[in-house]
Amino acid sequence: MADVVRERSGGGGPAGSWETVLALPHPRLRPGVLSYRGIRLALRGPRRRLEAPIGAATLVLGFEEPLSVSRGGSPPVTLTSLFCGPTTTAAVGGHGGRFAGVEVLLAPWMAFSLFGTPQHELADRVVHPDELPHGQGSGRLAGLAAALATLPAWPERFALLDEALAHWSAGAAPASARVAHAWAELARTGGTLPVPRLAEEVGWSVRQLENRFRRQIGLAPKVAARVLRLERARRLLAAGRGQAETAAACGFYDQAHLSGEFRAMTGCTPGQFAAARRLPPAGSPMADRISGEATSLLLPGGGAASPFSPSADFSKTRARR
């Protein structure tokens, strides 16, 4: 059964009510399954969030109203349940004010194993989980979402997730242990481990590593390193570190390099991101996707433009895979 709830937050008022509950999966599912986050929103109007790239694949199993997700200026995709592979650019997600469901964060190699889908086909894409190109068992995730909706409380839902994911994992073809190790080392070092050293550590040539990594992680090692470096930089900046200090600690050439990478992958500068987090729209719940990390911004209004850039900026945030 999933660990006891690690974090619980919620509130209510004139703007409506909200609840988020974070739990860790059963130890036998780790480190492939990273976390569960239960969400229930009953707000009096639409909400939008900017979600920065993170080092994980995302599975959302929704119970009620749909979510709308757009990336890079593309038309929004509207789904109640969704899967998103590894990402290199920010997404804008929104809903009409009501949503309930569970978000499951997966190491990309675990997503490859569970769904049998080359992750490079899913990088920076949002799809219905039962429509994965090489998925196993059409309809199984829709059935799981329906079953989760009938349960009375979050601990029971997390326990059912443990049971379902353990069953599917037992019947899935395992990911390469060397790919999983390479990913773990890249994540451990915050994306600063050079790719030739990474290849040497797992006993492959650089080309072998790149080919296998892209298939099972979704991104080339250098691109994944960029995402992981920026993830660590956001974490340090949120903890109060200065930009110059953060740039040096995370392996950027200088503060200008950090700012350029930040804008390329989020659509805003570090200062704009920090300012938007300090002043979230009134009456809106603020909840990051990963505990202790700065992953998200609440955007004002259901249809208002971003406070720091027009929507055209997002069309420019494309990283090579």
Side-chain angles (χ1 to χ4, degrees):
M1 182 175 180
D3 283 8
V4 293
V5 169
R6 293 301 181 94
E7 293 181 18
R8 184 187 296 270
S9 58
S17 63
W18 60 278
E19 176 188 32
T20 62
V21 181
L22 180 71
L24 294 179
H26 191 281
R28 65 181 170 174
L29 293 170
R30 297 181 232 157
V33 184
L34 304 176
S35 66
Y36 301 145
R37 186 165 65 108
I39 308 163
R40 187 173 294 280
L41 306 173
L43 305 173
R44 299 184 188 281
R47 294 292 187 275
R48 297 190 316 140
R49 294 164 62 95
L50 181 143
E51 299 291 354
I54 61 172
T58 303
L59 172 66
V60 175
L61 299 170
F63 310 157
E64 296 179 359
E65 300 299 319
L67 297 171
S68 178
V69 182
S70 62
R71 187 187 308 277
S74 62
V77 176
T78 301
L79 296 166
T80 301
S81 292
L82 60 87
F83 176 84
C84 181
T87 60
T88 59
T89 60
V92 174
H95 53 78
R98 302 187 69 87
F99 178 77
V102 178
E103 178 185 71
V104 182
L105 294 186
L106 303 164
W109 55 264
M110 175 59 90
F112 169 80
S113 178
L114 283 175
F115 304 124
T117 305
Q119 290 299 288
H120 65 80
E121 297 182 9
L122 299 169
D124 286 319
R125 288 184 60 201
V126 175
V127 299
H128 191 284
D130 283 328
E131 296 177 359
L132 294 173
H134 303 286
Q136 302 173 13
S138 177
R140 65 178 184 171
L141 286 162
L144 177 58
L148 291 170
T150 67
L151 294 174
W154 295 114
E156 288 83 353
R157 295 185 181 111
F158 299 147
L160 178 58
L161 280 169
D162 278 346
E163 180 182 345
L165 294 176
H167 175 70
W168 295 339
S169 179
S176 164
R178 286 196 270 186
V179 168
H181 178 73
W183 171 257
E185 283 300 290
L186 204 58
R188 182 185 65 81
T189 60
T192 59
L193 188 63
V195 174
R197 282 182 54 193
L198 190 61
E200 182 180 2
E201 181 161 333
V202 298
W204 282 333
S205 70
V206 169
R207 176 164 291 187
Q208 285 175 314
L209 174 64
E210 288 175 343
N211 290 339
R212 289 164 172 79
F213 202 90
R214 186 168 177 267
R215 176 177 172 79
Q216 299 192 23
I217 300 300
L219 307 173
K222 286 185 178 180
V223 178
R226 290 181 63 202
V227 172
L228 293 167
R229 278 198 302 271
L230 192 70
E231 187 173 12
R232 184 183 178 210
R234 292 197 311 270
R235 184 164 59 246
L236 294 182
L237 290 168
R241 299 278 192 97
Q243 291 188 37
E245 180 185 5
T246 296
C250 296
F252 295 96
Y253 299 128
D254 52 26
Q255 185 173 333
H257 183 206
L258 167 62
S259 185
E261 287 288 270
F262 211 104
R263 179 180 285 277
M265 284 190 271
T266 67
C268 60
T269 67
Q272 290 167 333
F273 189 88
R277 284 180 63 86
R278 285 195 299 269
L279 298 171
S284 295
M286 182 66 198
D288 288 307
R289 300 176 63 205
I290 301 175
S291 178
E293 296 203 9
T295 65
S296 311
L297 291 181
L298 292 167
L299 303 180
S306 161
F308 43 77
S309 63
S311 59
D313 280 357
F314 292 99
S315 67
K316 301 174 185 177
T317 59
R318 299 188 183 276
R320 289 179 299 169
R321 293 190 291 275

